[in-house]
Amino acid sequence: MRLRCAVLDDFQDVSTTIADWSPVRDRVDVTAFTEHFTTEDELASAIADFDIVVTLRERVRFPASLLDRLPRLKLVVASGMRNSVIDYAAAERNGVTVCGTRSFPTPPVELTWALLLGLARGLVTENNSLRTGGAWQSTVGADLHGRRLGLLGLGKIGSRVARVGLAFGMEVTAWSPHLTKARTDEVGVELASSKEELLRGSDYVSLHLVLGDTTRGLLGAPELALMKPSAHLVNTSRAGLVDQDALLAALREGRIAGAAVDVFDTEPLPAGHPLRTAPRLLATPHLGYVSELNYRTYYTEAVENITAYLSGAPVRRLH
């Protein structure tokens, strides 16, 4: 009997063309879903007859309540080698193998700088004005050279962001709950004595932390109040690191100069969500990992994972 594979959230409809699926075509029928399922009931109904599911990053949750409703499901392939929204115990109990793929840190680094530069130089405002016959030069851009970039997190992504900041001639400091001076010395940046010191002294703050119990809500109203009125905040990591209501209030009241975000508590962002119309905000629809390199890798390795599973020797297993 042929197996059925569902590819979730293939918004650009590229999953079956950006990678070669021929190694499994003789055994597997692939269906790409280009729309997001907003409720667990919708998702459970849509994939009830599928044996394999390919899912992007952590957008779709796989709790026990969902996995228990999918008796036919045998394999989940998630892009990346870390996923916090899959109940692994429930997967094991239901006989579901979970595998991952590689994911490169460079695309989110590049988007971080696209957002930071776009925010600092008012690119969206100026582009819209030019295209609609508006004012010629209506903003005064903020400088990067000589300004302080504060990084919350100095891992694979944060360290690369730091090196670009240094290349721009910025002063770069970093802090995270377990960051050491040995690590900051290795990257060539300063270690902030505390999160509060970093927020007070930075002209630009960028987040690059894993979301967990110790980092959820890391920046709330008290922390945002420490930032300079001229400072900018960039979040391409996880929405849960920042209190969204506190950020909205800070933007609406002009307590910070602006923010750029690529991640949201609910994705896709609902049509009427206040972040869609917030002032001083540059927002993108979670594009950090969305690049040709990553997509080709995700789906190519998804095919490899399916092939290995069918041969009885799963690879890149997650747990």
Side-chain angles (χ1 to χ4, degrees):
M1 182 178 71
R2 293 179 63 82
L3 302 179
R4 301 187 69 200
C5 173
V7 180
L8 301 181
D9 290 345
D10 184 12
F11 298 133
Q12 300 91 347
D13 196 17
V14 297
S15 64
T16 57
T17 57
I18 203 167
D20 178 13
W21 288 76
S22 63
V24 298
R25 288 290 188 185
D26 61 333
R27 291 169 288 176
V28 179
D29 294 321
V30 181
T31 301
F33 291 94
T34 57
E35 299 294 330
H36 181 71
F37 298 107
T38 58
T39 69
E40 184 176 305
D41 285 343
E42 289 177 346
L43 178 59
S45 177
I47 64 175
D49 295 328
F50 286 85
D51 309 275
I52 303 166
V53 170
V54 177
T55 181
L56 281 175
R57 309 299 292 157
E58 297 174 324
R59 179 175 292 120
V60 179
R61 300 179 63 83
F62 283 84
S65 57
L66 174 61
L67 291 166
D68 290 344
R69 300 167 67 179
L70 303 172
R72 183 166 167 173
L73 183 64
K74 296 304 176 187
L75 174 65
V76 172
V77 179
S79 59
M81 291 302 293
R82 179 191 294 120
N83 195 298
S84 64
V85 299
I86 296 173
D87 187 326
Y88 294 102
E92 184 175 2
R93 186 178 69 249
N94 284 279
V96 178
T97 299
V98 183
C99 299
T101 73
R102 288 180 298 162
S103 183
F104 294 94
T106 46
V109 172
E110 293 165 2
L111 184 74
T112 295
W113 279 103
L115 289 175
L116 195 153
L117 287 164
L119 190 65
R121 299 302 295 268
L123 295 188
V124 174
T125 298
E126 295 291 0
N127 177 258
N128 288 343
S129 182
L130 185 147
R131 293 172 66 89
T132 59
W136 184 264
Q137 298 183 354
S138 61
T139 64
V140 177
D143 295 284
L144 301 187
H145 185 87
R147 300 296 173 88
R148 182 171 291 272
L149 171 64
L151 300 175
L152 293 168
L154 199 64
K156 291 180 180 179
I157 295 174
S159 61
R160 286 172 168 82
V161 172
R163 293 185 178 103
V164 176
L166 293 171
F168 272 119
M170 302 183 79
E171 298 176 6
V172 184
T173 63
W175 178 90
S176 67
H178 305 292
L179 187 61
T180 65
K181 189 174 187 303
R183 174 59 176 164
T184 54
D185 286 348
E186 177 186 351
V187 178
V189 304
E190 296 179 24
L191 175 64
S193 63
S194 65
K195 173 180 63 177
E196 290 74 17
E197 180 200 28
L198 182 142
L199 293 171
R200 289 191 187 97
S202 297
D203 299 293
Y204 300 88
V205 175
S206 189
L207 292 98
H208 304 286
L209 290 164
V210 174
L211 181 62
D213 293 339
T214 61
T215 58
R216 187 176 297 278
L218 187 74
L219 298 188
E223 290 78 18
L224 292 172
L226 297 175
M227 294 177 63
K228 302 176 182 179
S230 58
H232 299 80
L233 177 69
V234 180
N235 186 9
T236 57
S237 186
R238 290 291 183 269
L241 297 170
V242 182
D243 183 316
Q244 301 297 285
D245 290 337
L247 176 60
L248 273 168
L251 292 170
R252 287 169 173 165
E253 296 167 16
R255 287 187 275 110
I256 59 175
V261 300
D262 184 50
V263 287
F264 307 91
D265 285 336
T266 301
E267 297 183 6
L269 196 65
H273 196 285
L275 281 174
R276 286 185 177 268
T277 55
R280 305 178 181 85
L281 179 69
L282 173 58
T284 49
H286 205 157
L287 299 177
Y289 63 90
V290 181
S291 76
E292 183 179 356
L293 172 65
N294 265 344
Y295 268 38
R296 192 176 303 281
T297 301
Y298 293 164
Y299 293 119
T300 297
E301 295 192 356
V303 175
E304 293 173 359
N305 289 347
I306 294 169
T307 303
Y309 173 81
L310 294 177
S311 71
V315 295
R316 306 187 190 96
R317 295 189 68 162
L318 302 182
H319 187 52

